[in-house]
């Protein structure tokens, strides 16, 4: 009986003192951050999109070709998030193509978004600051699909 109680107490203490089985891994947290962007875009919620971004320092880099001339511009992520304000819900599918986490503080994510007639390859750079993952850089390529 005493041996059984000691084993039970030891098992209980190891469960209570060990990191929670329910705590989120860095990869899960990175996925959740990117999904805030994706789902916020799907539902027209700029607040949800902004949850994913470092809205003060982050940028969306865009390469455009106009009249045969390439330009690159940077768009602050706080402004980009507002694009989703009152946007109609999108019919989009998303999938993670790659997630790479470096030193538990930086992550690279390749996320593919498919919607009618278009496919985007989104590339995100995230930093973990004070325990939260935030997108600090976003860029994307667009492929027009035949329907």
């Amino acid at each position: 009986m005493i041996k059984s109680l000691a084993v039970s107490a030891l098992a209980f203490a190891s469960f209570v003192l060990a990191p929670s089985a329910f705590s989120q891994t860095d990869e899960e947290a990175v996925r959740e951050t990117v999904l805030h962007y994706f789902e916020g875009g799907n539902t027209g919620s700029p607040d949800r999109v902004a949850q994913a971004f470092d809205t003060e320092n982050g940028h969306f880099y865009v390469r455009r070709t106009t009249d045969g001339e390439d330009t690159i511009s940077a768009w602050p992520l706080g402004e980009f998030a507002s694009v989703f304000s009152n946007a109609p819900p999108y019919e989009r599918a998303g999938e993670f193509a790659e997630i790479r986490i470096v030193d538990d503080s930086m992550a690279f994510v390749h996320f593919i978004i498919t919607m009618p007639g278009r496919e985007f390859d989104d590339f995100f750079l995230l930093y973990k600051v004070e325990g939260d993952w935030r997108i600090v850089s976003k860029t994307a390529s667009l492929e027009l699909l035949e329907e």
Side-chain angles (χ1 to χ4, degrees):
M1 170 81 172
I2 291 177
K3 187 175 184 178
S4 175
L5 285 174
V7 170
S8 295
L10 181 61
F12 177 75
S14 66
F15 176 76
V16 170
L17 298 176
S20 171
F22 302 107
S23 67
Q24 197 173 41
T25 66
D26 280 329
E27 183 174 334
E28 291 167 336
V30 165
R31 285 177 181 272
E32 180 180 64
T33 300
V34 171
L35 288 175
H36 280 307
Y37 160 71
F38 178 70
E39 293 298 331
N42 281 353
T43 60
S45 172
D47 291 338
R48 178 122 187 238
V49 172
Q51 282 182 331
F53 294 153
D54 178 336
T55 55
E56 293 179 29
N57 301 305
H59 285 85
F60 175 25
Y61 293 92
V62 181
R63 180 181 148 253
R64 298 182 194 277
T65 303
T66 307
D67 298 326
E69 190 173 317
D70 290 335
T71 59
I72 296 174
S73 57
W75 194 359
L77 289 175
E79 289 179 27
F80 178 67
S82 68
V83 167
F84 297 95
S85 183
N86 300 318
Y90 288 106
E91 218 180 285
R92 310 186 306 172
E95 71 176 276
F96 288 91
E98 181 180 359
I99 297 174
R100 185 173 299 170
I101 297 173
V102 180
D103 295 331
D104 300 325
S105 61
M106 182 174 67
F108 164 81
V109 176
H110 175 197
F111 190 76
I112 300 169
I113 298 174
T114 306
M115 53 196 308
R118 302 182 246 187
E119 182 173 277
F120 293 91
D121 283 279
D122 279 12
F123 298 92
F124 301 101
L125 179 63
L126 297 85
Y127 280 118
K128 186 177 184 181
V129 178
E130 296 180 7
D132 292 323
W133 287 96
R134 292 286 176 256
I135 296 169
V136 297
S137 179
K138 174 194 181 320
T139 193
S141 69
L142 167 64
E143 179 182 350
L144 298 177
L145 305 174
E146 293 182 25
E147 292 190 41

